[in-house]
Amino acid sequence: MLVKRKNILLERPGQSSGTSVLPADFSKPGLFALIVGINSYKSKEFSDLCGAVPDARLLEDYLKTDLKVPSNQICVLLDQAASCKAIIEAFIALKNDERIKKGAPILIFFAGHGSELQPSDDWASRGLGITMQMLVPQDYCSKSLESTPVPGIPDRTIAALLQGIAEKKGDNITVVFDCCHSASGTRGNVGPERVRSVVVDFAIHTEDLDQEILESVAFRIPNNSPRYLYYGLRSHILISACGSDETARERYGRGKFTTAFIKLLRTIPLDKLRYSDILTYIDVIPGQNPQCEGINQHRYLFDGKVAPPSPASFICRYDEMLGKIIIDAGTAHGVSKGTEFGIYHQRDLTSRLPLGTLTADKVTSYSSVVTISKLSQNSFLNALRRHPSPELVAVRTKAGQREHLYVYITPRNYLSPFEDPAYQFLVSLLQDGKRDLHNIAIARGVDHAHLELTIENHEAIFHLRDKTAMQYGYAHQFRSVAASVDEVARFLTAASKHYWDLRRASDDNLNEIASHVQLSFYRLQESQYSFYGAAQPEMFPVGDDLCQDGVVDFSVGEDRVYGIKLTNNSSHDLYPSLFYFDSTDFNGRVTYYKPCSSGQYVLDVPLKKDGGTLTIGYGSGGVPPFAYSLQDGRDITIGFLKLLVFTKPVDPSTIPASYLSTANLRETATDTWGATVIPIVQRRPTRERLHRNPQLVGRMLPPSRPNSNRHARAQAVIRASSVPRQFGAINWSGGEYRQTGQFNAT
């Protein structure tokens, strides 16, 4: 049965609804808000709440009293006013309100019942075990109660509505949900504590639900606009009251989360509070682990301004039983033996002079035993006792041991390499103790080098000699730099960090955990169901998995986009991070995925054990699809996917980095992490290459392993290509592609 909303006021492109939920007599830019609170539900199957309406009133009072937001910029829907129709129209009104300028802050708050349902089988983008979550409007009715049912508002509909707002008003949108989605049922909700969750009817939530709404709120994106700019969680920050498997609760007529949230907003000035800080400083809420999701967590609340980066800090403590000083950072955070840390009071992280310096001596996955380098034993221990963690923190000041990066110097006509000016220049640079180049060495032969250096006409020219990239037929010369100490040192520093970050792996015996995670790489197409509106459809995979034998190899297309699916076959819940390393630019690392922040709370597990899946780039996970291109004149390029998996939340995007969650800091015997590196070989389509360069016939680069299955795939790609008939058929023979005949004239 197709369930449709009744009489929703929609705006088609070029049309106006003629009405606005928000008053229209105020033109000054500022914060606009939609506040929804529902205590009393129409359905007798649901127990009423006590704290949702007071929560809404509390937030309204904060906006008016503390932030001086005019009443006519706040739309409040309470109880019977919070019907499904009214809630959806209020979202649409925010998009259509001409008073809201692009970039103005928008706050959307919901307090009431939430629920969840299992999605249909073809929703591959959600992943195994990921449910469809929804808000429950006041007038929800199942078909067993009324002939015309009123469904809940699914997350995909909310996402479409938010996208529509973002396309017109910008991405300075904050969404706060004080409800839960565990479908626990609340008929027994009595006493001082109540749960904000109910069970809804699966039958009335069909695949086609809200299809007209989704298409109506979407509008055509101009050709010069980034197609996926506001895709998923790029459009907004989502703050939820609890984890996906938990219940949001209210006690004595107030929501636990909203009470703590408003208290935080009234305690810390908003120009000092980033979204990523909320869960660090908010009061502890027993039984609930709030979540904060979104791409722009580094911004200040209700402000598009980006907070300046703060140094990553780690908790420092003295273990009385071991008689050792411990820093809660290990190899998972990029710490190695010899890493140096400065000690600071947390409130004085910007101070130039640390209290002292510690050096990592013994490093495990998530912690390090350190020794005191420049501070007396007694004074440091006294400081630790006076300032219990986390007031005393460690900030990395110097890298520890790293694998060598080998540089080969192009030979010249000298009797000895020691007489070569390039050799003398590089040796002098590497011996400069003021520069952190201690892991760079001169290679004896080009076969053992990562880079080759030539100095000509006062310019330093670097060529890529790394076998992991060159084995696929890839060659690259980096942009030359001035042959000065500063410029060459800057290039080598970036190269050293690039290779160390790409190659670093866990020394833990349990590092096999990474081998239990399957990475699949698919080309994506738009779903026939435009869950996110006509402009931003849900994506789904087509064709075979492009990741074969640990290598992704494909032909680049102008309009082709790709996504990644992770499958966790281990017995551990995992927190993955995924990065792309560009071999043409040592500063070109791109974050494909990392978990959201959770402060002192437990983060929802993104990749659950025993077959759990996570899709990246499909849309519903908040990450847009990935696109690839080749520079003009280049027929192949190589990049690398670096997958890191952790058994506890870690943010490795800045190496080293602090915990995303300070819960359960102590390392256990099962805590581990692992890493996998997967080459991505991007080729220009054969047809296009031969059109541009007919002389390439007979000289095309072979596939990386002619005897492997990838050779067979390469042949299939060649045979399937529409090669101009004058070039003839192309086959693999004698180590190269050869022309073997003429195509028919047909």
Side-chain angles (χ1 to χ4, degrees), residues 291 366 513 517 566 568 572-578 593-596 598 601-608 614 643-652 660-661 664 671-674:
Q291 308 288 309
Y366 293 93
I513 192 168
V517 178
L566 303 179
N568 180 10
H572 298 269
D573 287 335
L574 296 176
Y575 300 84
S577 291
L578 185 64
Y593 177 85
K594 65 177 181 178
C596 57
S598 63
Y601 294 97
V602 177
L603 183 69
D604 269 353
V605 177
L607 192 55
K608 296 187 176 182
L614 174 67
L643 173 65
L644 300 106
V645 291
F646 307 90
T647 54
K648 57 199 306 182
V650 171
D651 179 2
L660 287 175
S661 172
N664 303 318
D671 286 333
T672 185
W673 70 283

Side-chain angles (χ1 to χ4, degrees), residues 110-275:
F110 179 89
H113 280 312
S115 190
E116 68 176 358
L117 290 172
Q118 290 293 331
S120 58
D121 293 338
D122 66 335
W123 288 13
S125 62
R126 290 187 176 266
L128 182 65
I130 305 300
T131 58
M132 178 178 69
Q133 300 178 338
M134 65 181 62
L135 305 180
V136 181
Q138 191 276 339
D139 58 342
Y140 169 89
C141 285
S142 67
K143 65 178 183 179
S144 60
L145 300 177
E146 271 193 15
S147 57
T148 304
V150 178
I153 307 176
D155 52 8
R156 71 184 191 188
T157 302
I158 298 296
L161 294 169
L162 289 171
Q163 176 204 307
I165 297 172
E167 293 288 357
K168 277 194 172 182
K169 307 303 182 183
D171 58 4
N172 190 8
I173 304 172
T174 305
V175 181
V176 181
F177 288 160
D178 194 348
C179 60
C180 54
H181 308 96
S182 64
S184 59
T186 57
R187 291 188 179 184
N189 257 352
V190 294
E193 189 163 297
R194 302 194 176 199
V195 176
R196 295 180 174 179
S197 177
V198 294
V199 178
V200 296
D201 185 359
F202 177 85
I204 66 174
H205 297 89
T206 64
E207 286 184 11
D208 293 326
L209 177 63
D210 291 339
Q211 190 65 23
E212 291 186 6
I213 295 174
L214 299 177
E215 293 176 353
S216 67
V217 298
F219 60 93
R220 190 174 304 278
I221 300 177
N223 292 332
N224 59 351
S225 296
R227 179 173 174 79
Y228 298 103
L229 181 60
Y230 297 108
Y231 204 95
L233 289 174
R234 291 182 180 273
S235 66
H236 61 281
I237 294 291
L238 173 61
I239 304 168
S240 49
C242 60
S244 59
D245 297 327
E246 298 176 333
T247 54
R249 296 177 177 270
E250 56 181 47
R251 187 172 179 83
Y252 297 116
R254 294 284 187 183
K256 289 184 175 182
F257 170 76
T258 299
T259 301
F261 182 59
I262 300 299
K263 178 183 176 182
L264 173 67
L265 298 183
R266 283 178 162 158
T267 302
I268 300 179
L270 296 186
D271 61 349
K272 305 294 183 184
L273 184 63
R274 299 172 300 178
Y275 289 100

Side-chain angles (χ1 to χ4, degrees), residues 731-738 740:
N731 293 290
W732 177 261
S733 176
E736 63 182 17
Y737 288 108
R738 293 188 180 276
T740 59

Side-chain angles (χ1 to χ4, degrees), residues 472-474 636 683 689 696 699-703 732 735-737:
Y472 302 101
Y474 176 68
I636 184 173
R683 305 180 187 272
R689 294 180 62 189
L696 287 180
R699 294 192 294 107
M700 294 178 62
L701 292 172
W732 177 261
E736 63 182 17
Y737 288 108

Side-chain angles (χ1 to χ4, degrees), residues 423-443:
Y423 181 90
Q424 295 172 359
F425 171 82
L426 186 57
V427 169
S428 175
L429 177 61
L430 299 183
Q431 291 177 345
D432 186 352
K434 298 179 182 179
R435 303 180 186 276
D436 189 12
L437 301 174
H438 62 277
N439 69 310
I440 297 177
I442 299 177

